[in-house]
Amino acid sequence: MRIATSLETVELKSSGPSKLRLLSKGYWLEFFQWVAAAGFTAVELPYNAFVNDPLAFEIGRCGVPISLAAVNVKYGSPKGLRKMLADFGIADVTGVHVQAGDALAEIMATDGDTARYFGLLESAGREAIGFLADLGATDLVLSPTPARGLVERFFAGGRDGWEAGFLDLTAAVVNKLAREAKAKGVRVAVRDEFWSLLRGDARDAFLAKLDKDVLYSPDLSHLAIAGADPVAVMKKHKARLASVRFNDTKFTDAVGNWRTSHPEIPTQGAQRVFCDLGDGTVDLRGSYRALQDAKYDGWAVFDSRMTLDVPRALLRMRWRIDHSIAAKA
Amino acid sequence: MANLKYSYMTNMWGLMVRYPVANQWGEWYEGDFGNSVYYLDWDRILRYHVGAGFKGIELMFHMLPYVNEYFGSPKAFAEFAKERGIEQVTGTFSLALGSEDRANHPAVLAMNQKMIDFTAELGGENINIMPASGYFGHGPLSKEQLRNAADCFNEIGRRALDKGITACIHSEFWCAVNKYDLERFIEMTDPKYAAFVLDTAQVSIMGFDPVAMYDKYHERIKYFHLKDTNIIDAPDEKRFAAGAEFNDEGDRWFWELGGGQVDFPGLWKLLKKYKHKGWVAVETDGTPDPLATLVLSKAYIDTKLAPIYS
């Protein structure tokens, strides 16, 4: 098993002291120093191919390495980025994380034509595959549906059973991308967030619709919030795992937030959905051991999503990995 | 009654203030013991403005989907702000990216129509608009491209006026409409539909003297974005670089009032001379500490500028 961290530890969109500096290349040059100083030699990147959604426009134009265009402008090329990371001591890029919600955000920001959704999702995935091939990285992690509340708003049309049709079309896009990816040495893995249409039993049914070489990328805190046992889920799918995301939560979704259109920013009740790795209740050590027992040899990608203090979170993640999660008994 | 009322552009807090209201302090403070908890919600951030004496705020274009999602409607957001002491959401900021190409006009107009409607529903008076694409990858503009952008702006301004809103040209130092053609662009637009917002730092960075500019264009300048800077007449290669607004070294372009070299007392003497009345806005995006900058700016206004004209 190989250990990495994700740039998604840095929350780009929300408010805080010095928040706009996160949009500059200067911030990321320093961030990569923190990553290496915390002992991480591999990173996973977020990826957003779109530019018309207002937040995507702001994030993609000044230095966040979040798309091919952003990387070309500020780092020269994917290879240039890779060389720079290596110079910082970060030898590997595990892959990128693409979110279907970004395709819907693009539509909402432009003409509102949801008929374009699956085409946009496919083109975003295709761009990410090309980026990965240029970068020399292998894993395209795809969150294949937007938040359930948003999908319902735009695609349900008042019909019962709309989910099945939506997921069939989604599976077709994923399979198409996976076949294209394979030809470029890239593999596709899907993720089931607690707010996704893949929540609960839908995950297994969806995986059954996919080609056998489409993999599964569990996110431990999302599984825990959805009420699943991450260890049991990983054991069940041990032959299909890739880019396993280790993170933490102590959030209880007491108000059915998973059904809303903004599940990661609750307005009612408890609001801190994620916490720094090790501060929550996810069985991180048990999950790690389950992967060891399964002789998993892929990436374990650690993050502390929505942390309020990025360098502190990176250092504490390293301590917890070494002294608890991956420590020998 | 004061001639000037002060608003503040809220872009310095981050791309998106996360919550309308952060329900439980302890969720964010216990275990972290940091100050980030003070920056997470509109409830607190609006009260900082009121506490510092700013009774107006402005919203960025990316707040449109946020407001609809989290508050239900622009009107509900304005009411939420009013309950916390904000008298008025005075205006918004928008973009006309691609307006230099006529083929883009339908999309640019559609996007700005949404912003006009949004601004009207908020109860705003102004919409400040970056008038064309960024310089990097697009500039310099030909005379025809400049004409296209001007025509597009005139149409946006006409539509805005239909809703009682003043559309103002906002001159980013990194915009394709830049140092060498900004004045020509102002002249190419129709004064009936296109006002100018004097952004004191942006024009200083381009090499204009904001005081002289106000003297020359006071009839077109209906609004102000007040911010300070220490970078006067930046070289072309800095302004025209990719992502110039957040430069690679992390240098700060914009400062709180009094933190840079802009001659605000000189500007205030002209405000008095021309009897300017109404809302003026402070905008200090890029500050590392929005709360400190907010308070320092107001202290500067109260002690250095208000004695000249208020």
Side-chain angles (χ1 to χ4, degrees):
Chain A
M1 186 166 15
R2 294 170 292 169
I3 287 177
T5 191
S6 167
L7 271 61
E8 287 178 343
T9 286
V10 182
E11 166 55 38
L12 290 163
K13 293 178 181 172
S14 76
S15 47
S18 286
K19 269 290 182 174
L20 291 178
R21 185 165 174 262
L22 272 51
L23 306 182
S24 74
K25 183 181 176 184
Y27 176 83
W28 293 93
L29 298 184
E30 197 173 316
F31 172 81
F32 292 127
Q33 292 175 349
W34 299 337
V35 166
F40 293 100
T41 58
V43 291
E44 181 188 279
L45 310 174
Y47 197 90
N48 187 350
F50 301 109
V51 296
N52 286 308
D53 167 56
L55 292 177
F57 166 74
E58 293 282 31
I59 289 169
R61 68 195 173 98
C62 290
V64 184
I66 199 164
S67 68
L68 178 63
V71 166
N72 282 343
V73 163
K74 283 293 185 180
Y75 302 89
S77 66
K79 285 187 174 60
L81 174 65
R82 192 69 190 262
K83 183 185 179 309
M84 189 202 73
L85 291 173
D87 290 343
F88 278 116
I90 300 168
D92 286 307
V93 175
T94 69
V96 298
H97 179 202
V98 172
Q99 304 207 52
D102 290 333
L104 188 53
E106 177 79 356
I107 289 169
M108 290 162 68
T110 51
D111 58 6
D113 180 8
T114 53
R116 296 195 297 131
Y117 167 76
F118 289 102
L120 285 180
L121 177 59
E122 186 179 316
S123 67
R126 186 169 295 122
E127 182 182 311
I129 290 166
F131 179 75
L132 285 167
D134 287 348
L135 206 57
T138 57
D139 287 6
L140 168 57
V141 178
L142 177 63
S143 296
T145 85
R148 182 187 182 85
L150 281 174
V151 182
E152 189 163 2
R153 184 191 299 170
F154 289 102
F155 295 93
R159 293 172 282 115
D160 288 334
W162 57 271
E163 293 97 330
F166 187 87
L167 288 175
D168 282 346
L169 292 169
T170 304
V173 171
V174 174
N175 283 330
K176 188 172 182 186
L177 288 172
R179 289 165 205 155
E180 292 180 19
K182 196 173 182 179
K184 295 195 170 186
V186 173
R187 51 196 203 156
V188 175
V190 294
R191 178 170 290 168
D192 54 334
E193 285 85 357
F194 76 91
W195 39 256
S196 160
L197 258 64
L198 307 192
R199 180 189 170 98
D201 295 341
R203 174 204 323 113
D204 292 357
F206 186 73
L207 286 171
K209 293 177 197 285
L210 302 178
D211 295 350
K212 292 288 179 246
D213 51 3
V214 178
L215 302 173
Y216 171 52
S217 169
D219 181 305
L220 303 188
S221 61
H222 277 281
L223 286 171
I225 294 168
D229 173 2
V231 174
V233 172
M234 286 198 294
K235 281 182 176 172
K236 185 173 184 181
H237 295 287
K238 64 183 179 185
R240 217 171 172 176
L241 299 176
S243 286
V244 176
R245 185 65 76 91
F246 277 74
N247 48 22
D248 216 348
T249 183
K250 50 189 168 186
F251 178 71
T252 302
D253 191 6
V255 296
N257 195 59
W258 64 276
R259 287 181 171 279
T260 70
S261 51
H262 45 81
E264 292 191 12
I265 306 181
T267 53
Q268 304 298 316
Q271 292 172 300
R272 190 166 194 171
V273 177
F274 305 103
C275 59
D276 287 11
L277 191 87
D279 286 350
T281 55
V282 174
D283 182 7
L284 299 166
R285 188 172 163 83
S287 299
Y288 195 85
R289 287 195 173 175
L291 292 177
Q292 286 179 316
D293 292 345
K295 301 198 175 355
Y296 172 71
D297 63 356
W299 291 107
V301 182
F302 289 77
D303 79 63
S304 288
R305 288 198 64 199
M306 293 193 180
T307 185
L308 300 178
D309 188 335
V310 171
R312 177 174 178 257
L314 284 165
L315 290 172
R316 292 177 81 217
M317 281 200 289
R318 169 51 59 189
W319 189 89
R320 283 182 154 135
I321 291 166
D322 290 349
H323 294 268
S324 172
I325 298 166
K328 290 188 176 135
Chain B
M1 192 171 160
N3 293 303
L4 302 181
K5 297 194 286 183
Y6 294 98
S7 184
Y8 217 116
M9 169 42 100
T10 53
N11 55 355
M12 67 176 170
W13 300 92
L15 290 181
M16 187 179 86
V17 175
R18 197 182 294 178
Y19 302 104
V21 178
N23 298 331
Q24 300 169 28
W25 165 278
E27 262 193 300
W28 302 99
Y29 183 68
E30 288 162 13
D32 284 291
F33 310 116
N35 65 339
S36 293
V37 63
Y38 283 106
Y39 295 82
L40 289 174
D41 65 344
W42 280 106
D43 175 42
R44 285 193 177 81
I45 285 172
L46 291 172
R47 287 188 282 141
Y48 301 152
H49 286 81
V50 174
F54 291 95
K55 300 293 180 67
I57 58 163
E58 294 180 1
L59 298 181
M60 288 293 281
F61 62 105
H62 40 69
M63 279 296 294
L64 190 159
Y66 179 93
V67 162
N68 288 329
E69 189 66 45
Y70 289 88
F71 291 89
S73 69
K75 196 171 174 213
F77 177 84
E79 283 302 316
F80 179 92
K82 212 164 265 183
E83 286 164 12
R84 285 151 182 83
I86 296 292
E87 288 175 16
Q88 189 175 348
V89 180
T90 59
T92 58
F93 176 84
S94 184
L95 309 154
L97 301 180
S99 69
E100 63 275 11
D101 182 345
R102 282 187 186 276
N104 295 327
H105 284 192
V108 175
L109 291 171
M111 183 263 187
N112 278 284
Q113 186 64 58
K114 283 186 197 172
M115 284 303 300
I116 291 164
D117 295 343
F118 179 58
T119 308
E121 288 173 46
L122 286 164
E125 299 174 3
N126 301 294
I127 178 167
N128 302 314
I129 304 167
M130 175 173 160
S133 298
Y135 195 96
F136 180 81
H138 302 280
L141 299 184
S142 67
K143 195 174 176 188
E144 185 187 353
Q145 287 175 308
L146 211 56
R147 178 78 260 162
N148 292 343
D151 288 349
C152 190
F153 202 99
N154 285 337
E155 177 58 18
I156 294 169
R158 191 191 62 72
R159 293 179 182 204
L161 199 59
D162 281 348
K163 298 249 176 174
I165 291 163
T166 305
C168 303
I169 302 160
H170 191 274
S171 52
E172 277 71 17
F173 70 81
W174 50 277
C175 181
V177 177
N178 210 286
K179 177 177 185 171
Y180 306 109
D181 48 23
L182 176 61
E183 291 190 279
R184 197 183 331 156
F185 182 79
I186 293 171
E187 285 154 16
M188 287 170 99
T189 51
D190 188 335
K192 207 161 34 165
Y193 301 127
F196 188 74
V197 49
L198 181 65
D199 186 307
T200 50
Q202 301 274 11
V203 299
S204 297
I205 292 167
M206 277 193 273
F208 295 98
D209 173 355
V211 179
M213 207 164 181
Y214 181 48
D215 208 15
K216 182 174 179 182
Y217 291 106
H218 63 272
E219 288 183 352
R220 293 292 294 273
I221 294 171
K222 303 293 184 194
Y223 199 53
F224 294 85
H225 264 182
L226 307 168
K227 53 180 175 263
D228 220 335
T229 184
N230 281 299
I231 306 173
I232 305 297
D233 197 10
D236 289 356
E237 60 267 26
K238 288 282 277 182
R239 300 196 321 280
F240 300 164
E245 195 181 11
F246 302 100
N247 69 45
D248 295 352
E249 294 76 29
D251 291 349
R252 185 175 170 184
W253 290 105
F254 308 133
W255 291 76
E256 52 271 4
L257 307 194
Q261 300 173 42
V262 172
D263 178 15
F264 286 108
L267 181 62
W268 248 245
K269 286 172 192 160
L270 288 184
L271 287 172
K272 184 177 181 180
K273 176 182 170 184
Y274 293 121
K275 297 184 175 63
H276 186 84
K277 291 186 192 334
W279 290 102
V280 294
V282 180
E283 183 186 46
T284 47
D285 42 319
T287 171
D289 191 334
L291 199 44
T293 289
L294 177 86
V295 176
L296 285 171
S297 290
K298 191 58 166 54
Y300 183 82
I301 290 169
D302 289 347
T303 59
K304 306 289 185 190
L305 303 180
I308 299 170
Y309 182 61
S310 62

